[in-house]
Amino acid sequence: MTQKQKKQIAAVSIFSIAFGIAPAVNAMHIMEGYLAPKYCIAWGILCLPFAAAGFLKIRSTLNENRRSITLLAMSGAFIFVISSLKIPSVTGSCSHMTGTGLGAILFGPCSVSILGLIVLVFQAVLLAHGGLTTLGANTFSMAIAGPFAAYGIYRLLKKLKVNHLAAIFLAAAIGDLFTYCITGIQLAVAYPSEAGGIAASAAKFLGVFAPTQIPLAVIEGLLTTAIVIFLESFAKSELTSIGFFKKEA
Amino acid sequence: MIIIDKLCYQSKLRCVNAMEKFIFAMLTLILCIVSRSFTVSVLVLFITGILTVRGGGIPVSRYIKAMLVPVVFLTLSTLAIIVNITRTPLDAFALPAGSYYITGSCKGITEGLRLMLTALSSVSCLYFLSMNTPVTDILEVLKRLHVPRIILELMLLTYRFIFLMLNLSSAITTAQNARLGNKDLKTSRTSFARMAGSVLILSLKQSNALYDAMEARCYDGVIRILPAHHPARRSEMIAIAVCDFLLAAITIFIKIRR
């Protein structure tokens, strides 16, 4: 990053802190109609291989054991509910978790890609978070990039014998931040700045959403850790059934 | 708990053929983002707004409140598009800040406003679909569009479970609040985590019982719902065709002139 870009980021973040005390903070869904058709299609196509992989994974799971359909549906509903509930946050404003990190750690990134797609459809239709034309872009950032990043970090830190809870915290927080960075870049690619092109535009988008998203990532990390602690102490057998401990071994 | 889901069951347009509504909403939505013009956006906002409020009988206050849901995203990101930070001022406005300018161009502002209007009109298309069509009807449409059976089954069950879980979580939250579970930030955070954990555990336990119950009623991988039969009316089809044809004509006209 050049000196100029650093200054830009600093200036934009000050500006946005002053300007953007938002009453309601949603996870960063790109809203309906905000992307031009070619970007909608491009991001959609980029999601296809992941969705196909997820679909095959789910189909083989179901062929193996038909009972798991209720389990999968419950997992999807859980991700939806977690991301639609207000969480206690610093400013007293209502903000939402993305639930991607938690989903990826509990259910594995492959099934989360399909579950996330379904959740995003419902979020668009029932809550108007995100949209149908921006489904591809949102799926890529929230159901693919975020969970895979979170899961990768989680596995890596486990390999490096980092403290279990720290690994979960970092995986969830960084997964959240990664989602937000990808969304910023998606917006920047679609709307390059008049002065400075895509890089300057990305800096602007990231700067504008930083004051809401960075605290949110920390909260998401804390909550995810607390949820996993709770589950590990009370529901070992249930966690085994969704494959959480199977992957540990 | 989810307002849109309640509204769509009360809507007067509920009994209109779901495929018609779906096609109308999607075509109009696509025309909106393809044309990205003031004219088309205003027309679409007007048409879908009237259809949802007058045709569907959705209260105006609800509709306006719903239109304001994405407003934070809209303002923040449009701001990021309009405002630039450069060494040389642009033509619309410029605030000096050190050796830099917080500045924007006329072209940028027009683009930003056009984008805002396009996005709002697209949201109104989405609302036309979701405020007048229950999810089960939308699933029926998706089935006719040959979405894989497993995905549809998963969607149907997920949709059902969302409400079970929301009820569960609100009951637990009420219990926690009654016991000062939210007295400060730290307790409320712990409470939230425990609530989320319990919801997951309880519903995992339920999911097994649910499968047993479904299997006892001859579940074989597909829940067969008798779709309510609402045939497409010719007058409606003509109206949709005329409306979207006009919008498409305007779009093409604008694209050629640009």
Side-chain angles (χ1 to χ4, degrees), chain A residues 8 12 31 33-34 59 66-67 70 73-74 78 87 122 125-126 128 191 193-195 204-205 223 226 230 238, chain B residues 4 36 74 77-78 80 83-86 105 115 122 127 130 150 165 189 192-193 196 203 205 207-208 212:
Chain A
Q8 277 181 336
V12 172
M31 77 182 278
Y34 212 78
R59 200 172 63 178
R66 262 187 22 208
R67 297 189 79 87
T70 44
M74 281 286 180
F78 182 67
I87 55 174
F122 281 136
V125 172
L126 296 175
Y191 299 102
S193 160
E194 296 155 277
K204 283 196 294 177
F205 279 112
L223 284 177
F230 179 81
E238 279 86 355
Chain B
I4 294 181
R36 190 171 283 183
L74 194 60
S77 45
T78 311
V83 177
N84 279 298
I85 292 174
T86 51
S105 67
L115 183 60
S122 317
Y127 278 143
S130 62
I150 298 177
M165 281 195 178
R189 203 167 284 154
F192 183 87
S203 40
K205 277 185 183 152
S207 79
N208 252 332
D212 289 339

Side-chain angles (χ1 to χ4, degrees), chain A residues 42-201:
Chain A
W43 289 112
I45 289 175
L46 214 54
C47 291
L48 276 181
F50 294 94
F55 178 70
L56 292 178
K57 172 97 196 311
I58 283 184
R59 200 172 63 178
S60 73
T61 321
L62 286 182
N63 283 342
E64 215 173 89
N65 179 8
R66 262 187 22 208
R67 297 189 79 87
S68 42
I69 188 149
T70 44
L71 208 62
L72 282 169
M74 281 286 180
S75 317
F78 182 67
I79 297 175
F80 180 96
V81 168
I82 281 298
S83 56
S84 73
L85 289 175
K86 284 174 196 159
I87 55 174
S89 73
V90 207
T91 47
S93 66
C94 57
S95 31
H96 305 268
M97 281 173 85
T98 56
T100 50
L102 186 63
I105 293 171
L106 287 179
F107 311 120
C110 273
S111 14
V112 167
S113 65
I114 282 285
L115 295 181
L117 178 64
I118 293 176
V119 167
L120 282 167
V121 170
F122 281 136
Q123 281 179 335
V125 172
L126 296 175
L127 303 173
H129 293 172
L132 297 176
T133 54
T134 52
L135 192 61
N138 283 331
T139 306
F140 187 78
S141 66
M142 294 191 175
I144 295 169
F148 272 93
Y151 191 71
I153 291 164
Y154 178 68
R155 299 298 291 176
L156 184 72
L157 292 180
K158 290 250 95 177
K159 278 245 168 69
L160 296 176
K161 301 260 182 290
V162 177
N163 179 289
H164 181 55
L165 298 181
I168 294 168
F169 174 79
L170 285 175
I174 295 176
D176 192 53
L177 281 180
F178 193 63
T179 304
Y180 141 75
C181 289
I182 293 280
T183 314
I185 291 167
Q186 283 173 334
L187 286 170
V189 171
Y191 299 102
S193 160
E194 296 155 277
I198 292 177
S201 182

Side-chain angles (χ1 to χ4, degrees), chain B residues 47-99:
Chain B
I47 295 170
T48 49
I50 295 272
L51 274 176
T52 315
V53 173
R54 291 293 293 278
I58 307 294
V60 185
S61 56
R62 273 278 158 74
Y63 189 69
I64 291 174
K65 219 184 252 173
M67 288 298 283
L68 291 180
V69 166
V71 88
V72 174
F73 177 86
L74 194 60
T75 31
L76 282 183
S77 45
T78 311
L79 214 65
I81 292 173
I82 290 178
V83 177
N84 279 298
I85 292 174
T86 51
R87 277 182 184 283
T88 48
L90 296 169
D91 53 356
F93 65 93
L95 294 172
S99 60

